[in-house]
Amino acid sequence: MKKNGSARRAVLASLCPQDMHPIVDVGADHGHVAFSLKAIATERMPGRVGRKDIPWVVCDGLTAFREVGVAIIAGMGARTIAGILDSGPRPQAVVLHAQDDPPLLRAHLAKTGWKIVREALAPEAGRYAVVILATPGKEKSTGLWLHYGPCLLRHGDPHLLPHLEQLHEHSATIAK
């Protein structure tokens, strides 16, 4: 598995709708995803601004924007992502990666009026990053379908079986 995040960045970019503007990469770190999508990058702290060939906005989440076409929020915790979504303008679509708790993020999306449209897995650092595309709407999935990813379970993914095996092994280890 790749360790540098390039697979995750590729999946983030591939799930991003190209017809909604502006595209805002929240907490863009170095700005590689923003660069590939011609997006606006944001960071909370001025010293953390990365690449010089993309526009940067120093702000907390989406608070500096009146409207957003697509928000890409990745590499943060599920609760942090939920807080960003609850605090700024409501985007037309969101592309999300919660590094700690995708089930919690899916539950929050369903509870707050987001429909999960697509999901994909990316190998990263010995695990699988779960990337979610959601739009405003009603999520019909509940229970284990929502926990494990309705689009992953319905439509599959090349990495789904090893991902589920990894989750099973982790659960078995905790149960001991």
Side-chain angles (χ1 to χ4, degrees):
M1 285 188 203
K2 294 185 178 184
K3 294 183 181 181
N4 64 4
S6 62
R8 178 176 52 93
R9 288 193 302 265
V11 171
L12 287 164
S14 74
L15 290 186
C16 183
Q18 300 294 309
D19 59 345
M20 301 175 190
H21 296 282
I23 299 170
V24 179
D25 185 358
V26 177
D29 195 26
H30 297 291
H32 300 310
V33 173
F35 176 78
S36 71
L37 295 170
K38 298 179 177 49
I40 300 167
T42 74
E43 274 295 342
R44 288 177 57 188
M45 306 296 287
R48 293 191 58 186
V49 171
R51 309 176 64 109
K52 304 296 183 208
D53 53 356
I54 56 173
W56 286 87
V57 174
V58 176
C59 68
D60 192 10
L62 296 167
T63 57
F65 299 88
R66 287 192 199 141
E67 56 184 53
V68 175
V70 181
I72 301 167
I73 311 171
M76 300 174 201
R79 286 181 176 82
T80 299
I81 293 171
I84 290 168
L85 291 175
D86 293 345
S87 300
R90 191 171 182 91
Q92 298 170 44
V94 291
V95 179
L96 310 170
H97 162 248
Q99 59 187 15
D100 64 346
D101 198 346
L104 178 72
L105 181 58
R106 286 190 200 99
H108 180 79
L109 291 169
K111 186 175 93 176
T112 57
W114 292 94
K115 177 175 177 40
I116 298 169
V117 177
R118 286 186 60 204
E119 294 176 281
L121 298 168
E124 180 177 63
R127 308 180 348 178
Y128 293 92
V130 177
V131 180
I132 301 167
L133 168 62
T135 58
K138 180 169 176 45
E139 179 55 54
K140 295 178 184 173
S141 298
T142 59
L144 290 176
W145 279 91
L146 188 60
H147 181 86
Y148 287 107
C151 294
L152 289 175
L153 295 174
R154 283 190 188 97
H155 308 296
D157 181 281
H159 305 291
L160 180 59
L161 188 56
H163 171 64
L164 292 175
E165 288 170 347
Q166 205 172 57
L167 292 176
H168 174 71
E169 288 172 16
H170 178 71
S171 297
T173 302
I174 291 172
K176 288 183 180 179

